Amino acid sequence: MKAAREIGVGSARQYYPDMSEVLREGEPTTARWCDLVNELDRWREAGQIATLWWRDDDAANADVRLDRLVSIAADVPISLAVIPAAADPELGEYLAHPSRSNRPAPIGVLQHGWCHMNHAGDGRKSEFPPGRSPHAVVSDLAAGQARLKGLFRARALPVLAPPWNRLDPSFLSLLADCGLTGISRVKPRHVACPVPGIREVNVHVDLVSWAGDRGFIGEAAALGGIVRHLRARRLVELDASEPTGILTHHLVQDESTEIFLRRLVAVTCTHAAARWLDAASVFPDAVRRLQ
Ligand SMILES: [Zn+2]
């Protein structure tokens, strides 16, 4: 019998089998809705809350596509990665009073680089690739922070979501100089703080098939990614405290993705063990900096 892993759950204790028994090599990364519900049921039985968060990239304008996303999310908070140089001043007014409601939308703003320009010479696009001048990087990031704070005030958190999820590691130590306290990239983080003063919280399931037709990756693949990450957290195969992040791009979002998101919102918002976190809860250090 393989070793069990012990997780403290309040006053109770739950024992899980070793991860290798559950997540075998070559396991398909697809799942169904019932698998998501079953996984959330496991969290509930363990007395734990499965935290989720939603990052949407490339925002600049309060257009009809963003409004559709906000409508689909309803009361689920969105962490909106805004391109500072392209941000329309009217976006701030929209986020305060979206068309669907008189209530402010539960939307926090993250910094999506500066102008979403590719500075990489090779095939891997990046606004902050290796070899770029540190002075230029600091200049871009500081300008982005200043513009977002000016447009969005307290809604803007000092958190960088770099375009294409790429920032050369040599630049991580520069973020604090630009007033940033957090970073969000893709895939499970290695450590919560890659450099002192910077908290990393990533996204784990990108709903867009970038290698394909830029449409939806498909229900089975999307659910597979979510269930796999939740299960790995529950079994402490990886950092269980990093909330499971969903990534959308409202500018290229197709109808299939919207149908999936509506059902994901419905399923998770009616399950006692699932909780969506707003940007301030995902990056509490960033909020403390603002206070
Ligand atoms: Zn982008």
Side-chain angles (χ1 to χ4, degrees):
M1 182 179 171
K2 295 196 176 180
R5 196 187 300 273
E6 182 180 318
I7 302 176
V9 186
S11 59
R13 291 210 173 271
Q14 183 88 26
Y15 291 88
Y16 295 106
D18 186 87
M19 187 65 184
S20 60
E21 286 188 12
V22 180
L23 203 57
R24 295 183 178 86
E25 193 73 23
E27 181 190 33
T29 54
T30 60
R32 298 164 298 170
W33 287 105
C34 61
D35 298 319
L36 175 59
V37 173
N38 288 339
E39 177 58 30
L40 292 173
D41 287 346
R42 300 289 84 75
W43 282 75
R44 183 180 57 197
E45 290 163 10
Q48 295 183 305
I49 297 296
T51 48
L52 305 156
W53 77 295
W54 183 338
R55 199 184 95 202
D56 182 83
D57 283 5
D58 297 342
N61 301 291
D63 62 11
V64 64
R65 289 166 293 190
L66 180 61
D67 199 45
R68 284 181 69 87
L69 186 84
V70 172
S71 171
I72 291 167
D75 291 326
V76 170
I78 296 174
S79 299
L80 193 64
V82 175
I83 304 168
D88 185 337
E90 292 185 3
L91 180 57
E93 178 63 22
Y94 167 80
L95 295 182
H97 302 286
S99 58
R100 70 178 179 87
S101 167
N102 290 325
R103 291 182 297 141
I107 297 177
V109 168
L110 311 183
Q111 180 179 348
H112 201 40
W114 164 238
C115 61
H116 215 295
M117 180 178 289
N118 177 30
H119 289 285
D122 60 17
R124 288 172 62 84
K125 291 182 177 178
S126 175
E127 193 168 3
F128 309 106
R132 197 172 172 214
S133 152
H135 177 77
V137 170
V138 168
S139 176
D140 277 6
L141 293 178
Q145 268 301 286
R147 179 156 174 80
L148 293 185
K149 283 178 181 164
L151 290 178
F152 302 105
R153 311 273 174 192
R155 195 182 292 277
L157 298 183
V159 174
L160 175 67
W164 301 287
N165 291 298
R166 296 193 185 108
L167 175 93
D168 188 69
S170 67
F171 300 139
L172 279 169
S173 60
L174 302 177
L175 300 188
D177 297 340
C178 307
L180 292 154
T181 63
I183 186 168
S184 177
R185 294 180 282 189
V186 72
K187 295 184 179 176
R189 66 188 178 194
H190 297 299
V191 291
C193 296
V195 292
I198 300 296
R199 173 171 294 275
E200 179 162 12
V201 183
N202 294 339
V203 290
H204 310 94
V205 183
D206 185 340
L207 299 188
V208 177
S209 174
W210 297 107
D213 59 359
R214 291 160 61 97
F216 183 37
I217 60 170
E219 183 179 281
L223 287 169
I226 295 170
V227 171
R228 190 182 180 104
H229 190 253
L230 285 172
R231 184 168 54 186
R233 287 173 62 198
R234 176 169 57 81
L235 299 172
V236 202
E237 173 71 10
L238 42 73
D239 186 344
S241 66
E242 183 179 28
T244 299
I246 312 300
L247 177 60
T248 58
H249 286 75
H250 64 276
L251 292 176
V252 297
Q253 193 154 287
D254 61 13
E255 188 176 357
S256 298
T257 309
E258 292 184 354
I259 291 169
F260 173 80
L261 286 169
R262 287 184 200 281
R263 190 162 178 185
L264 181 65
V265 167
V267 168
T268 51
C269 289
T270 53
H271 198 290
R275 181 179 302 155
W276 289 92
L277 302 181
D278 61 15
S281 300
V282 175
F283 293 98
D285 314 320
V287 178
R288 274 193 285 276
R289 172 65 67 89
L290 295 173
Q291 291 170 342

